[in-house]
Amino acid sequence: MKLKGKVAIVTAASSDRGSAIAELLASEGAAVTINYLKNKKNAESVLKIIEKRGGRAMVKQADVTIKASVNRMVKDTIKKFGGIDILVNNAHGTIRRKTFENTIWNEFSENMNGTIKGAHNCCQAVINEMKKRKQGRIINIMDNIVNEPVKGYTCHTTAQSALVGFTRSLAVELGSSGITVNLINAGFTLAKKTPHAPPRVQKKMAEQTPLKRLALPIDIAKAVLFYATDLSDFVTGNCLSVDGGKTMR
């Protein structure tokens, strides 16, 4: 097991992508805190899957935009599992399709809060514990809409773009403490509820990738696993695109 004895927090772990990440990390030996905001039923389903496979996990409700809520989640994680080694910032702001001329600043703020403020709160809550252990893995996840902007998603794209600078800056600041900070650029991922993309659109998008398919939640989870293990010991401030080659640069 690549993560035996490690402890991880996965935000928005009740989502398709988040649940795949939590389940894979647990299958590799990590004890996992399954964070959710509203969907307790899905979070508990993830817990049952992990425990059925012999893994360790717990479910914690926390709004990542509220510092006190995040601090409680981290404190409870340390109390139950003895520490914190891995943080996966998978949560982001609400996605709505709306042209820029019809948006108001509050809608930008909402996206920035969900993505950057959420990551800010979670990172600040875990870094002291990671510094004590002189090791840690922070893994941020953004959508590849940053490299291929789509009309109507300016708010979401802007917030996601900010994760790039956030990740690189933290990598520089925390590297001497043994903490790596990396970013995953996730391709359009098939989920149970895939908004604004009917089958014909999904087919067209899949044809635009060299691999001729769209990402699955497990594809993103495998990239998270790489960053979480000692295979990535000398990798920090990096952005890994997991999109089937669609946005080659």
Side-chain angles (χ1 to χ4, degrees), residues 17-216:
R17 186 168 71 188
S19 62
I21 294 168
E23 289 168 22
L24 184 59
L25 296 184
S27 73
E28 289 294 337
V32 180
T33 291
I34 303 162
N35 164 254
Y36 76 96
L37 177 60
K38 295 179 180 178
N39 203 330
K40 184 178 181 180
K41 182 179 179 181
N42 276 14
E44 289 180 339
S45 293
V46 176
L47 176 64
K48 288 178 181 178
I49 290 171
I50 290 173
E51 290 183 335
K52 186 176 181 180
R53 294 172 179 171
R56 295 188 300 154
M58 72 171 178
V59 170
K60 290 300 296 183
Q61 193 280 338
D63 184 338
V64 296
T65 67
I66 300 175
K67 192 173 184 65
S69 183
V70 171
N71 288 344
R72 282 194 298 271
M73 174 174 67
V74 171
K75 183 179 179 180
D76 289 347
T77 298
I78 294 171
K79 182 178 180 180
K80 183 173 180 65
F81 297 128
I84 173 69
D85 303 283
I86 302 158
L87 168 66
V88 183
N89 285 312
N90 177 57
H92 56 70
T94 303
I95 304 173
R96 298 190 186 93
R97 188 165 194 169
K98 198 172 184 181
T99 59
F100 172 72
E101 61 188 331
N102 291 316
T103 60
I104 58 175
W105 178 247
N106 283 349
E107 290 170 306
F108 274 87
S109 295
E110 183 181 3
N111 270 270
M112 292 296 288
N113 281 342
T115 302
I116 299 301
K117 187 178 182 181
H120 166 276
N121 288 340
C122 291
C123 288
Q124 281 203 335
V126 304
I127 57 175
N128 283 339
E129 179 65 20
M130 288 182 174
K131 283 181 176 181
K132 288 178 186 177
R133 299 157 76 90
K134 297 182 180 180
Q135 63 175 6
R137 297 283 193 268
I138 295 174
I139 304 158
N140 301 321
I141 303 178
M142 74 174 188
D143 298 328
N144 72 353
I145 196 170
V146 173
N147 292 327
E148 289 193 331
V150 177
K151 181 180 179 181
Y153 295 104
T154 306
C155 292
H156 181 57
T157 303
T158 301
Q160 295 290 291
S161 297
L163 271 176
V164 179
F166 180 80
T167 298
R168 290 174 178 173
S169 295
L170 278 188
V172 171
E173 187 169 330
L174 301 178
S176 60
S177 298
I179 302 168
T180 64
V181 189
N182 289 294
L183 182 66
I184 292 172
N185 178 26
F188 186 92
T189 307
L190 289 174
K192 294 173 183 176
K193 292 184 178 179
T194 306
H196 312 305
R200 61 180 178 77
V201 175
Q202 293 181 30
K203 183 178 179 180
K204 183 178 179 180
M205 293 174 71
E207 286 299 315
Q208 292 172 349
T209 71
L211 296 181
K212 304 303 179 186
R213 71 174 179 86
L214 297 177
L216 299 173

